[in-house]
Amino acid sequence: MPSLQSVISCLSDYDPAALTVDQVSAIIADVIEPIRGVEQVAIRSALDRVLAEDVVSPIDVPAHDNSAMDGYAFAGAALASAGTNGVMLEVVGTSYAGDATELAPSATQAVRIMTGAVMPAGCDTVIPQEFVEVLGDGQRIRFAADVVRAGDNRRCRGEDLARGQAALQNGRILRPADIGMLASLGIPEVKVRRRLRVAFFSTGDELRSVGEPLDPGCVYDSNRYTLHGMLSRLHVDLIDMGVVRDDPAALEQAFRSACENADAIITSGGVSVGEADYTKQTMARLGEVTFWKIAMRPGRPMAFGRITSDGRDALLFGLPGNPVAVMVTFYHFVRAALHRQMGAEVPPLPLFRVRSAGSIRKRPGRTEYQRGLLVRGADGEWEVRITGQQGSGVLRSMSEANCFIVLGHDEETIAAGGAVNVMPFDGLV
Ligand code: AMP
Ligand code: MG
């Protein structure tokens, strides 16, 4: 695995006290390597897991040309020879779904066929039954030549997936459609990466846990709860280590235990610039950790690196303490990093431009992530408005939001009605 130092030394304009969001993302991406462990699981259990092999279709899907409608199958060439009475065909049998039909009608014959049934030899077209007039006692049918074209209402062998065709790629996070597709290929089990183990804890003497009395000057620890929620969405194994006091021995013990049991460690608090506590010192002593000031808001201070204990190592993300800053840095750095470590293709985040309902103050020279509510305006067009107070400690601004308003590094104040980039996050964090 490349060392943080070697990655950083390749950057010409590296300044830990003034990094852009893009620089940080690039450094993290360069340092991380995927975990190796792979396991074989039944496809139902593979949902939300990371595929660890390329899946190639072992069969043609569908395996035969078949009918997309209930109707009559015939050779489309008959349409060209239709008389003034339309097309007249003799019905010579029925093909049901699941039957291997042996019927082989001639150019003037048809076969009654059900949806999904195998097309009889020589037939390439199905006329839906509602267009057909049945004559006599079902021996003949008649229909207008212009209600169907040759080849209509037939599903071709292999049109979904041909044998040998790549179906799913290594690194894919498997979704319900993928699981269904694997089943359609007759594949009962696949190889997936083992689950990533992520340990997390909060630091700060002022923190109290839910269920404890709130002593004067204290706040309830909320970061561990948002982190628990965000990590759950990534389907990793969680190790919640609670609140760790700002005490060198307690911190060292917590970092070592996390390191020995997890692939990645996420902490919050104690990484602010000039903060006179032990979190930073302990992190730095246990491994290769850098402390960054990122040109972003919220989320400016962040520690990143790798620590070692008893021969095991783990990635470390020391997130800021402020509750919104935790979510923003998680969303913009940790999410991609953990996907990489899981061996997954990082799912891209949608970003698109909409109208801003009000004006938004912005200082150039940093990326800002305002919390927004994307709604339909009176004219039916989508527009975004800011969710109340935007302080980095105001978790309510995040709770009420359904998107980030991403104001780029060089952007300045936006006038009401101006265009801004939004990144919807419902269901993601
Ligand atoms: P710090 O970066 O440790 O100076 O923390 C910055 C701010 O975030 C302080 O007001 C802390 O009280 C608050 N804070 C830190 N950790 C948490 C937490 N786990 N839950 C809620 N607030 C926190
Ligand atoms: Mg603190």
Side-chain angles (χ1 to χ4, degrees):
M1 220 186 262
S3 79
L4 187 53
Q5 203 46 55
S6 67
V7 168
I8 285 168
S9 63
C10 295
L11 301 172
S12 53
D13 50 355
Y14 177 77
D15 173 0
L19 283 171
T20 64
V21 167
D22 290 345
Q23 283 174 312
V24 168
S25 302
I27 295 170
I28 295 177
D30 277 354
V31 168
I32 293 177
E33 278 193 348
I35 50 167
R36 293 217 180 77
V38 165
E39 58 199 38
Q40 179 107 3
V41 298
I43 54 174
R44 266 197 241 265
S45 310
L47 182 65
D48 295 320
R49 303 290 299 271
V50 180
L51 189 63
E53 61 181 336
D54 288 333
V55 173
V56 169
S57 179
I59 55 171
D60 285 324
V61 181
H64 312 274
D65 288 4
N66 68 84
S67 176
M69 302 288 261
D70 291 338
Y72 295 82
F74 64 100
L79 295 168
S81 52
T84 43
N85 283 337
V87 184
M88 190 89 88
L89 299 171
E90 181 195 355
V91 180
V92 293
T94 303
S95 175
Y96 293 99
D99 284 354
T101 182
E102 299 201 334
L103 295 167
S106 71
T108 57
Q109 294 177 328
V111 168
R112 173 103 176 94
I113 195 164
M114 307 303 158
T115 303
V118 174
M119 292 289 278
C123 295
D124 61 2
T125 308
V126 173
I127 175 79
Q129 61 191 21
E130 51 271 33
F131 292 123
V132 167
E133 185 188 347
V134 181
L135 304 172
D137 50 358
Q139 303 295 304
R140 302 172 75 75
I141 54 169
R142 184 168 65 194
F143 55 92
D146 60 354
V147 295
V148 70
R149 286 162 310 172
D152 276 0
N153 305 315
R154 169 190 54 163
R155 305 178 186 136
C156 292
R157 170 184 182 150
E159 78 173 20
D160 191 345
L161 271 172
R163 180 183 179 152
Q165 195 180 334
L168 292 168
Q169 241 127 54
N170 193 341
R172 182 173 181 90
I173 299 174
L174 295 168
R175 301 178 303 146
D178 304 328
I179 306 299
M181 193 168 72
L182 288 166
S184 79
L185 300 178
I187 296 174
E189 294 183 340
V190 283
K191 288 195 177 68
V192 295
R193 301 265 180 175
R194 73 161 170 83
R195 270 185 213 278
L196 199 69
R197 285 188 286 273
V198 182
F200 59 106
F201 56 88
S202 299
T203 68
D205 285 342
E206 77 280 24
L207 302 180
R208 292 294 174 273
S209 291
V210 170
E212 290 175 359
L214 195 61
D215 299 320
C218 292
V219 294
Y220 279 120
D221 171 15
S222 58
N223 291 343
R224 228 157 25 85
Y225 291 81
T226 45
L227 278 172
H228 183 279
M230 294 188 293
L231 287 166
S232 299
R233 292 263 162 98
L234 296 182
H235 307 282
V236 298
D237 283 342
L238 301 179
I239 307 174
D240 182 345
M241 299 179 65
V243 174
V244 178
R245 276 171 306 115
D246 199 14
D247 161 84
L251 282 165
E252 172 155 350
Q253 164 59 31
F255 277 115
R256 285 193 182 281
S257 160
C259 190
E260 289 160 28
N261 293 294
D263 304 297
I265 306 165
I266 303 174
T267 64
S268 69
V271 294
S272 299
V273 185
E275 186 148 3
D277 69 6
Y278 298 108
T279 309
K280 286 168 82 174
Q281 295 171 28
T282 312
M283 286 179 178
R285 197 168 60 244
L286 293 175
E288 194 186 22
V289 180
T290 54
F291 298 91
W292 289 330
K293 285 192 232 170
I294 309 168
M296 67 188 288
R297 186 177 143 125
R300 191 161 121 94
M302 191 175 110
F304 172 72
R306 191 182 290 117
I307 63 173
T308 309
S309 180
D310 199 24
R312 313 276 303 258
D313 61 28
L315 278 183
L316 172 66
F317 300 89
L319 306 186
N322 276 310
V324 181
V326 166
M327 297 196 76
V328 169
T329 48
F330 184 94
Y331 197 67
H332 292 281
F333 303 124
V334 182
R335 176 182 169 276
L338 295 184
H339 275 124
R340 282 214 164 73
Q341 207 182 8
M342 286 180 216
E345 259 318 289
V346 184
L349 296 172
L351 187 71
F352 52 87
R353 277 178 99 63
V354 298
R355 176 176 75 197
S356 172
S359 69
I360 308 177
R361 284 177 51 170
K362 163 69 169 59
R363 219 174 67 191
R366 67 186 184 200
T367 307
E368 290 191 14
Y369 300 93
Q370 309 252 1
R371 277 72 71 202
L373 192 61
L374 201 50
V375 290
R376 277 287 177 92
D379 60 359
E381 297 291 319
W382 286 91
E383 64 178 25
V384 69
R385 63 185 74 237
I386 280 169
T387 56
Q389 262 201 63
Q390 296 289 298
S392 64
V394 186
L395 202 47
R396 185 174 146 200
S397 67
M398 194 69 200
S399 171
E400 288 175 356
N402 60 8
C403 68
F404 288 117
I405 302 171
V406 183
L407 303 173
H409 192 85
D410 299 318
E411 268 186 279
E412 296 182 25
T413 292
I414 310 291
V420 288
N421 282 326
V422 293
M423 187 181 272
F425 57 56
D426 261 358
L428 278 167
V429 295

